[in-house]
Amino acid sequence: MDYINTNLEFYDNKIVVEDTGSVWNTVEVMMDWEYPMMSSSAAYVTEGGGDILEIGFGMGISAGYMHSHSIDSHTIVENHPQIIPKAVEWASNKSNVTIVSQSWMEWMDEVTTVENENLPTFDGIFYDTYGDWDMVYFSSSLSELVKSGTKVTWWNSQTTETNYYNIPNVTYQAFNVNPPENTYFNSTTYYLPKKEF
């Protein structure tokens, strides 16, 4: 499935791709049962305040939580054409928010090659995307975005204390969860990854 070209359906409690043509007729992109994990992710990456990078806006749950903490700036990178306007609207009255309307890899390439500048570094990074084929580059790209003390976390679909990205020296905070039936996470324990550089 080419996520960027899919038509999303928005409900009060979830974002879905309907009529996928796969075994699952409907695939959830994000659901509101994730609130506890989004809150904890936001709290972790904003512990030191400063400049925050959020890759993936989704339903805006984590973005809202990040603004309940004291931060200097909040850069949100979102590339789905139906979610970008929702992120822009959400940010419209927040002077410290920048919306980047492209994929995070395109943004990194544009800043370094087209604009011939160094990438900004951040005090906190939260990575939560859907259908992102560039996710295999997440761990190797971190060195360009972090500084000493940067806190990084991401949506962790693993059901143990492991991470898909093979990022070393990660600690985990376990949550008991009870997700409704869905196509992306059906464990009763969620392991929130925490990495400090």
Side-chain angles (χ1 to χ4, degrees):
M1 171 175 42
D2 182 12
Y3 171 67
I4 293 304
N5 295 314
T6 60
N7 184 46
L8 301 178
E9 297 292 332
F10 296 86
Y11 298 92
D12 289 341
N13 64 339
K14 61 187 173 181
I15 301 172
V16 302
V17 178
E18 293 184 347
D19 233 359
T20 63
S22 71
V23 175
W24 301 287
N25 194 36
T26 300
V27 176
E28 299 87 359
V29 173
M30 187 171 193
M31 300 176 76
D32 66 356
W33 70 269
E34 299 175 33
Y35 270 95
M37 286 79 73
M38 297 297 110
S39 174
S40 293
S41 296
Y44 178 67
V45 300
T46 61
E47 275 181 8
D51 302 310
I52 307 300
L53 173 63
E54 181 174 11
I55 302 173
F57 181 75
M59 293 171 68
I61 298 170
S62 54
Y65 282 123
M66 287 180 195
H67 275 267
S68 69
H69 300 277
S70 179
I71 59 176
D72 295 333
S73 73
H74 187 183
T75 301
I76 300 171
V77 181
E78 175 58 56
N79 65 341
H80 196 284
Q82 288 178 267
I83 295 179
I84 292 168
K86 294 178 181 300
V88 169
E89 179 183 348
W90 177 86
S92 65
N93 63 349
K94 298 170 181 70
S95 61
N96 65 341
V97 176
T98 301
I99 303 295
V100 177
S101 303
Q102 62 191 123
S103 81
W104 63 278
M105 285 295 290
E106 291 169 340
W107 169 68
M108 288 180 69
D109 288 343
E110 184 177 298
V111 169
T112 57
T113 56
V114 177
E115 298 173 9
N116 200 24
E117 295 181 11
N118 292 326
L119 284 164
T121 56
F122 297 91
D123 299 289
I125 299 173
F126 178 46
Y127 177 82
D128 183 7
T129 63
Y130 180 87
D132 180 12
W133 298 110
D134 290 326
M135 67 187 220
V136 296
Y137 304 112
F138 176 61
S139 59
S140 62
S141 300
L142 283 173
S143 63
E144 298 180 69
L145 299 168
V146 301
K147 52 189 163 187
S148 178
T150 297
K151 295 181 184 302
V152 178
T153 191
W154 55 90
W155 170 261
N156 186 19
S157 59
Q158 304 298 306
T159 57
T160 61
E161 289 186 349
T162 58
N163 69 82
Y164 171 85
Y165 306 106
N166 295 314
I167 297 172
N169 304 315
V170 173
T171 60
Y172 297 88
Q173 178 182 353
F175 288 90
N176 291 326
V177 295
N178 187 20
E181 186 176 329
N182 66 79
T183 57
Y184 66 98
F185 191 86
N186 287 294
S187 175
T188 56
T189 305
Y190 177 79
Y191 294 94
L192 175 70
K194 296 181 174 186
K195 170 67 178 180
E196 183 171 346
F197 284 81

